Amino acid sequence: MATNRVIFLVFNSVHLLDLAGAVTVFYESGCCGKHYDIHYVSPSPNPQTSSGLGITNVDPLHSIHVEKEDIVILAGMEIAKWNRADDKLWIPWLQNAAAQGATICSICTAAFALAASGLLDGQNCTTHWAWTAALQKEYPHLKVIENKLFVQSGRIFTSAGIATGIDLALYLVEEQHGVAFACRVAKDMVVYIRRDGMEVQNSIYLQNRQHINHHIHQVQDYITKHLQHKLTLEELAELVFISPRNLTRLFKSATGVTIGQYIQLLRQEKAKHLLKEKYKLAWIAQECGYRSSAQIRKLLKEV
């Protein structure tokens, strides 16, 4: 039976985006027609985020009995403020969850918690690139894999953190409801695809967003959400109330590529991702904004 319950284990000094990114995926899944029952538990009665924001409506660990169909997600926390005095509270709870056969996931530095619980002993895993060496050094019996978005070992998943928690959550949604539905959720979140776990901790989408031009960000968001449609320069320019010529100049200056190149790179990356899932070429072509399956067959030779 497919699960509809996701339980977030929240440590004190949790990183807000590590938590919120994955939560939003399951929330948006509900908005798209596939509901998840989301719960939050913590060894702390009133956990604080690493940015100082307090969290309420968090249940005590003993109030939730984890079952096989559940998904348990540990959000990353600030390691320097991680209170190990709580180990006796959450480690037995987490070990019991794993013993029940639940899917266990960590985002970012929460891989350290999975390691401390013993659930990663001898397993492949990953974490944020800045912490892979420290994780391997502190827990030498693990097999820490660098520069991967997320790693699966049985029903245990570890992700690189920050935005990659979104990729992992989308993967879990896709497992249950299929790639077409996961793509719909991704579109609603304007992330355009679920990146594969074997991809490096970067993407075309992220590579070209390292700028601060609000108008160009707005155009990029529009492109990712409407990638399946024919996009014109005039349409994009009207969106941000500047001339097509000025938009062309600003886009290239901010991203390093032209608008046409950017659209093509996004379509290629998304198509190559969907090709790995063995879906019909006609559907992939439509989803990625290509005119025919012939263009997808050409890409197929490059995958």
Side-chain angles (χ1 to χ4, degrees):
M1 180 179 69
T3 183
N4 69 343
R5 188 165 70 161
V6 183
I7 304 161
F8 285 88
L9 175 53
V10 181
F11 291 104
N12 204 33
S13 75
V14 64
H15 290 310
L16 191 55
L17 185 55
D18 285 344
L19 176 64
V23 168
T24 302
V25 170
F26 295 107
Y27 170 80
E28 288 293 339
S29 177
C31 295
C32 293
K34 304 293 184 182
H35 173 74
Y36 284 88
D37 190 12
I38 302 174
H39 294 264
Y40 306 92
V41 298
S42 177
S44 304
N46 296 294
Q48 298 281 315
T49 67
S50 59
S51 54
L53 182 67
I55 301 176
T56 59
N57 296 327
V58 177
D59 296 321
L61 291 163
H62 63 78
S63 68
I64 298 289
H65 176 73
V66 180
E67 300 177 355
K68 181 178 180 179
E69 295 80 15
D70 292 329
I71 298 172
V72 177
I73 300 179
L74 286 66
M77 61 290 187
E78 187 174 345
I79 293 295
K81 297 181 180 178
W82 183 28
N83 183 11
R84 297 299 301 275
D86 290 336
D87 284 5
K88 61 184 181 298
L89 298 177
W90 64 266
I91 286 181
W93 182 89
L94 186 62
Q95 290 173 336
N96 179 69
Q100 296 301 316
T103 298
I104 311 293
C105 310
S106 69
I107 299 173
C108 197
T109 51
F112 282 81
L114 286 188
S117 73
L119 296 183
L120 290 181
D121 288 355
Q123 302 297 315
N124 292 337
C125 61
T126 194
T127 187
H128 188 282
W129 62 266
W131 288 96
T132 52
L135 181 63
Q136 186 67 82
K137 182 178 180 180
E138 187 168 346
Y139 299 96
H141 47 290
L142 309 185
K143 300 175 183 177
V144 181
I145 300 175
E146 296 184 352
N147 206 26
K148 289 292 179 285
L149 297 184
F150 59 87
V151 172
Q152 178 178 3
S153 294
R155 295 309 298 169
I156 297 179
F157 296 81
T158 52
S159 78
I162 314 297
T164 65
I166 295 174
D167 297 292
L168 176 54
L170 283 169
Y171 173 82
L172 296 173
V173 169
E174 182 178 308
E175 266 199 325
Q176 294 181 346
H177 305 299
V179 68
F181 182 77
C183 282
R184 181 181 171 190
V185 175
K187 281 181 189 175
D188 279 4
M189 295 182 65
V190 200
V191 293
Y192 97 93
I193 62 169
R194 172 191 68 76
R195 293 177 293 169
D196 191 281
M198 294 306 294
E199 294 178 56
V200 298
Q201 295 180 21
N202 210 332
S203 73
I204 300 300
Y205 178 77
L206 295 177
Q207 288 170 16
N208 296 282
R209 290 186 70 91
Q210 298 177 17
H211 60 83
I212 58 173
N213 190 307
H214 170 70
H215 285 146
I216 303 305
H217 280 149
Q218 191 174 348
V219 169
Q220 288 177 299
D221 288 345
Y222 185 87
I223 289 171
T224 58
K225 198 167 185 178
H226 298 83
L227 203 57
Q228 72 274 33
H229 301 304
K230 181 179 180 180
L231 297 165
T232 66
L233 178 59
E234 289 73 21
E235 173 186 5
L236 298 175
E238 185 177 346
L239 181 70
V240 290
F241 305 104
I242 59 179
S243 70
R245 181 177 181 180
N246 199 27
L247 176 61
T248 298
R249 178 184 61 81
L250 289 174
F251 195 98
K252 178 67 180 293
S253 175
T255 67
V257 295
T258 67
I259 294 174
Q261 288 171 330
Y262 182 71
I263 294 172
Q264 184 65 10
L265 288 170
L266 285 179
R267 284 177 171 160
Q268 287 176 352
E269 186 174 49
K270 182 172 184 178
K272 288 178 180 180
H273 163 73
L274 295 177
L275 281 167
K276 296 177 185 177
E277 307 297 330
K278 309 299 182 184
Y279 280 82
K280 291 183 179 179
L281 298 186
W283 180 82
I284 296 176
Q286 181 180 3
E287 185 69 17
C288 299
Y290 288 109
R291 294 188 301 273
S292 68
S293 300
Q295 292 175 290
I296 300 298
R297 291 191 185 93
K298 182 179 179 181
L299 274 179
L300 188 57
K301 298 177 182 178
E302 303 172 7
V303 177

